[in-house]
């Protein structure tokens, strides 16, 4: 397009017409899909019955984990990749620019009850998150839920102490590597099934004893991979937003988002 040529813009009426046409197609497909569902409250649930039978056959007592990490493991890989891409996009968009600089935030005064409660709950929340990841094939939860709990547990240190204390246990490089390793481990597990002569992400390991930690074949491995990717990804994501709010300031001493002065002596929490 030449420098003097104006870009053609779609009129509001054209946008509305395009939206209505797309909405009509989606509504028609949705209606057809709903008409094919079994009656509400009925006893005939073909997909659910098959999913539960497959979960029991593969010694995965949590049928939802069996669907996510066994029967439809490829879909879960897509969901994990969406989170990986979202974190990567946030890192690129929120990176420090040439006209911004970092400053060390002043220590924040924390009331003793809040400090004691935060430091007490940090190991408890961390243990709960790891438990949820490790027992995903046995009970409700799994890598996604447990990973978020683990990442949140680390940030209790920010509430109980200050941002500098959080930074000491949250060097970003290992977490960035951990996120990539978690994503890669999921794909490698699927490729290992192909090398074993089966389909990509097929459950090819011994199923173990039902209702034990070693049950489910590849389900606990994929669960652990997702837990690592989600935990590290959420830590990296929160770090980008916290750095913008606490440490990064513009060249003129103001906040990087032009939300007011942010001098070197500014506390990170009000």
């Amino acid at each position: 397009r030449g420098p003097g040529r104006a870009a053609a813009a779609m009129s509001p009426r054209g946008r509305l017409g395009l939206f209505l046409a797309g909405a009509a197609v989606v509504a028609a497909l949705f209606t057809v899909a709903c008409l094919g569902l079994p009656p509400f409250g009925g006893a005939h649930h073909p997909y659910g019955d098959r999913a539960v039978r497959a979960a029991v056959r593969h010694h995965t007592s949590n049928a939802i984990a069996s669907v996510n990490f066994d029967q439809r493991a490829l879909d879960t890989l897509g969901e994990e990749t969406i989170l990986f891409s979202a974190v990567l996009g946030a890192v690129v968009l929120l990176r420090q620019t040439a006209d911004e600089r970092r400053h060390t935030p002043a220590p924040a005064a924390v009331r003793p009850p809040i400090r004691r409660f935060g430091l007490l709950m940090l190991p408890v929340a961390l243990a709960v998150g790891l438990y949820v990841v490790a027992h995903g094939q046995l009970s409700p939860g799994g890598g996604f839920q447990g990973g978020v709990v683990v990442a949140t547990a680390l940030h209790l240190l920010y509430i109980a102490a200050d941002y500098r204390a959080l930074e000491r246990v949250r060097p970003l490089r290992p977490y960035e590597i951990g996120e990539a390793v978690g994503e890669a481990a999921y794909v490698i597990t699927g490729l290992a099934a192909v090398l074993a002569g089966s389909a990509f992400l097929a459950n090819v390991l011994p199923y173990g004893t039902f209702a034990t930690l070693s049950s489910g074949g590849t389900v606990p491995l994929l669960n652990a991979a997702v837990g690592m990717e989600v935990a590290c990804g959420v830590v990296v994501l929160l770090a980008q937003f916290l750095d913008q709010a606490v440490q990064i300031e513009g060249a003129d001493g103001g906040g990087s988002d032009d939300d007011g002065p942010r001098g070197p002596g500014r506390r990170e929490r009000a």
Side-chain angles (χ1 to χ4, degrees):
R1 189 168 67 232
R5 184 179 176 183
M10 180 180 289
S11 65
R13 180 173 296 180
R15 290 194 184 95
L16 180 60
L18 182 62
F19 168 76
L20 291 177
V25 173
V26 173
L29 295 175
F30 184 75
T31 301
V32 172
C34 288
L35 292 176
L37 291 174
F40 180 77
H44 180 62
H45 300 286
Y47 183 84
D49 294 340
R50 292 188 179 97
V52 172
R53 283 197 298 267
V56 174
R57 187 169 60 250
H58 289 184
H59 294 184
T60 307
S61 55
N62 181 8
I64 296 176
S66 176
V67 172
N68 289 337
F69 300 104
D70 188 355
Q71 303 166 44
R72 300 181 62 180
L74 184 62
D75 294 353
T76 303
L77 174 60
E79 297 169 5
E80 185 184 23
T81 304
I82 290 173
L83 176 61
F84 181 84
S85 303
V87 174
L88 179 61
V91 170
V92 173
L93 292 174
L94 296 177
R95 68 189 186 279
Q96 183 177 349
T97 58
D99 60 341
E100 294 176 339
R101 61 185 178 87
R102 289 178 178 268
H103 70 86
T104 302
V110 181
R111 295 182 180 275
I114 297 177
R115 183 184 296 273
R116 287 193 294 267
F117 180 78
L119 294 178
L120 175 65
M121 290 303 299
L122 192 155
V124 174
L126 189 61
V128 169
L130 295 175
Y131 178 92
V132 171
V133 173
H135 291 75
Q137 74 274 20
L138 304 178
S139 57
F144 283 100
Q145 298 86 345
V148 173
V149 175
V150 170
T152 306
L154 292 178
H155 288 80
L156 287 174
L157 193 59
Y158 174 52
I159 298 174
D162 56 23
Y163 193 65
R164 294 182 300 178
L166 173 62
E167 282 189 310
R168 286 194 289 270
V169 300
R170 192 214 58 188
L172 284 186
R173 180 62 61 184
Y175 289 98
E176 292 170 347
I177 295 174
E179 185 191 14
V181 168
E183 177 80 10
Y186 200 106
V187 177
I188 291 172
T189 304
L191 293 176
V194 175
L195 295 177
S198 188
F200 181 67
L201 285 173
N203 197 338
V204 295
L205 291 180
Y207 299 142
T209 303
F210 189 79
T212 63
L213 281 177
S214 60
S215 62
T218 58
V219 172
L221 297 181
L222 296 178
N223 231 344
V226 170
M228 174 181 287
E229 196 271 336
V230 171
C232 294
V234 172
V235 168
V236 173
L237 182 65
L238 293 178
Q240 303 305 314
F241 286 102
L242 285 173
D243 282 353
Q244 287 286 332
V246 175
Q247 286 191 318
I248 297 179
E249 62 182 14
D252 57 353
S256 58
D257 53 357
D258 297 328
D259 58 352
R262 186 184 294 179
R266 178 181 179 269
R267 293 180 182 270
E268 67 265 28
R269 294 200 302 277

